[in-house]
Amino acid sequence: MRTDRAGGHDLRHHGDAEVRDDGARLTDLAVNVRADTPPAWLRERIAGSLAGLAAYPDGRQARAAVAVRHGVPVERVLLTAGAAEAFVLLARALTVRHAVVVHPQFTEPEAALRDAGHEVHRVLLREEDGFRLDPAAVPEEADLVVVGNPTNPTSVLHPADTIAGLARPGRTLVVDEAFLDAVPGEREALAGRTDVPGLVVLRSLTKTWGLAGLRIGYVLAAPETIAGLERAQPLWPVSTPALAAAVACMEPRALAEAAHAAHRVATDRAHLVAGLREFAPDGLRVVEPAQGPFVLVRLPRATDVRRHLRDLGFAVRRGDTFPGLGEEWLRLAVRDRATVNSFLQALDQAVTLAQH
């Protein structure tokens, strides 16, 4: 795997590294993908597309389905091989003089910009502010601003109006909404907005639907921006099975299921956070209010705790690869109540072991 240790942070480290090889035996709280996915009906739809593999992929139906789902013209939609591909396309296609990435957040946007030869300026949100976005911290001269909502790994959901307020003439405002469909009612979403100049919204279907191995996402932006990104794409970038999944996930049945799952995640997250609060005497702190399908915690000797958790059968995501965080941070994916209860018991043991 490529590594980029800009500023001492390994920008190419992701949660899947925690569960590769010997990690496959662990209960996974490191990867932010719903554990009970993809559902059977979606697997069947994907399998049904395999009969058409002899033909080149045709993304028109999927593109139209995404457009209808968000109420925008099809010219404002670009399908991508996962939302992560969009960061590479943006870095290659845009002329950028002053790029700003708001951290802590998903590190691929910065890595892609650096790979494309751009200098990247960081705006580091502060723990004492609850990692909430401070628009005044973004330099006026920035012509590209990247922010996640809800933000990975902090689980902070920024107000849509606050993010939209970052728009400026001549500025591209990239909002990573990869986890927004895990928020009940998709509160604070900017997807579908056409009144914000320079807005580019990224969405992923890999998280809610468990399709990380299939690679499917999309971009919503002004037609001229979409055209520029499309020119930077290789031919047929999204496979036929991935296109079939995109169509299926835009249907009313799927949207209703995703909405139900978002409420279930919120309930399971509340259970996890309540359990984590019990460790306050041990110095553990949860970043609240958490709004994504994961939570960020700070605790003493987190590196040792993480190692002991692995020995006890649980994988969690280290936080020190995110700019703005250090070795005392861990990210925990939300899981069902039974899994959370088992994890909390293991965490109790791991914290005790780390203290001795």
Side-chain angles (χ1 to χ4, degrees):
M1 175 181 285
R2 295 174 297 166
T3 59
D4 182 343
R5 295 192 175 273
H9 296 275
D10 183 358
L11 302 181
R12 297 292 184 182
H13 180 90
H14 300 297
D16 62 314
E18 311 283 356
V19 290
R20 289 202 196 102
D21 302 325
D22 68 318
R25 62 181 173 80
L26 303 176
T27 298
D28 178 12
L29 277 75
V31 177
N32 293 327
V33 172
R34 257 179 57 203
D36 59 342
T37 51
W41 65 264
L42 182 53
R43 293 198 302 269
E44 291 170 4
R45 289 285 292 272
I46 294 169
S49 73
L50 300 181
L53 291 186
Y56 285 96
D58 182 350
R60 288 177 296 177
Q61 183 184 3
R63 195 172 181 181
V66 172
V68 169
R69 184 254 201 267
H70 291 287
V72 298
V74 71
E75 294 80 16
R76 298 184 70 94
V77 176
L78 182 68
L79 302 170
T80 57
E85 187 205 6
F87 293 121
V88 175
L89 298 179
L90 288 162
R92 292 176 178 175
L94 296 181
T95 300
V96 181
R97 297 181 304 278
H98 192 108
V100 168
V101 178
V102 179
H103 285 291
Q105 77 147 316
F106 184 51
T107 52
E108 278 301 316
E110 178 171 331
L113 286 164
R114 290 184 181 277
D115 283 349
H118 301 292
E119 181 181 359
V120 178
H121 304 267
R122 294 174 177 172
V123 169
L124 299 178
L125 304 184
R126 305 191 308 166
E127 178 188 1
E128 52 266 41
D129 296 329
F131 295 109
R132 291 185 295 273
L133 178 63
D134 177 9
V138 178
E140 281 296 321
E141 61 269 26
D143 58 352
L144 173 67
V145 178
V146 184
V147 61
N149 204 36
T151 304
N152 170 20
T154 64
S155 207
V156 171
L157 183 65
H158 305 294
D161 288 345
T162 300
I163 296 179
L166 293 174
R168 302 282 189 280
R171 172 184 287 178
T172 300
L173 174 60
V174 179
V175 184
D176 178 6
E177 291 189 352
F179 295 100
L180 211 292
D181 61 352
V183 175
E186 297 199 1
R187 303 189 318 278
E188 313 302 344
L190 287 170
R193 291 275 296 270
T194 60
D195 60 325
V196 181
L199 177 65
V200 178
V201 174
L202 278 56
R203 284 287 183 109
S204 170
L205 298 179
T206 65
K207 317 299 184 186
T208 288
W209 296 111
L211 299 175
L214 198 61
R215 312 308 307 141
I216 177 65
Y218 54 91
V219 182
L220 303 171
E224 58 272 21
T225 300
I226 293 297
L229 297 178
E230 194 168 18
R231 285 192 294 270
Q233 268 188 322
L235 287 172
W236 309 293
V238 181
S239 70
T240 294
L243 293 172
V247 172
C249 292
M250 296 300 115
E251 293 172 354
R253 166 189 173 176
L255 297 178
E257 183 174 324
H260 176 75
H263 286 283
R264 189 171 73 245
V265 165
T267 300
D268 290 339
R269 182 182 60 239
H271 180 65
L272 172 61
V273 170
L276 291 170
R277 290 192 190 122
E278 297 297 319
F279 291 87
D282 299 298
L284 186 148
R285 176 183 175 274
V286 186
V287 175
E288 296 188 70
Q291 301 288 345
F294 45 86
V295 298
L296 182 66
V297 301
R298 183 174 188 172
L299 72 163
R301 297 172 290 277
T303 300
D304 292 335
V305 170
R306 179 170 150 269
R307 175 169 52 82
H308 290 307
L309 281 170
R310 290 186 71 85
D311 293 338
L312 293 166
F314 290 87
V316 299
R317 171 68 157 88
R318 57 190 280 202
D320 61 326
T321 63
F322 294 100
L325 302 181
E327 292 184 351
E328 66 274 23
W329 293 93
L330 298 173
R331 189 192 71 196
L332 313 173
V334 173
R335 297 292 184 244
D336 64 272
R337 182 177 289 255
T339 301
V340 167
N341 288 344
S342 296
F343 167 73
L344 292 171
Q345 292 175 355
L347 179 60
D348 188 33
Q349 297 179 59
V351 168
T352 300
L353 289 168
Q355 291 172 344
H356 294 86

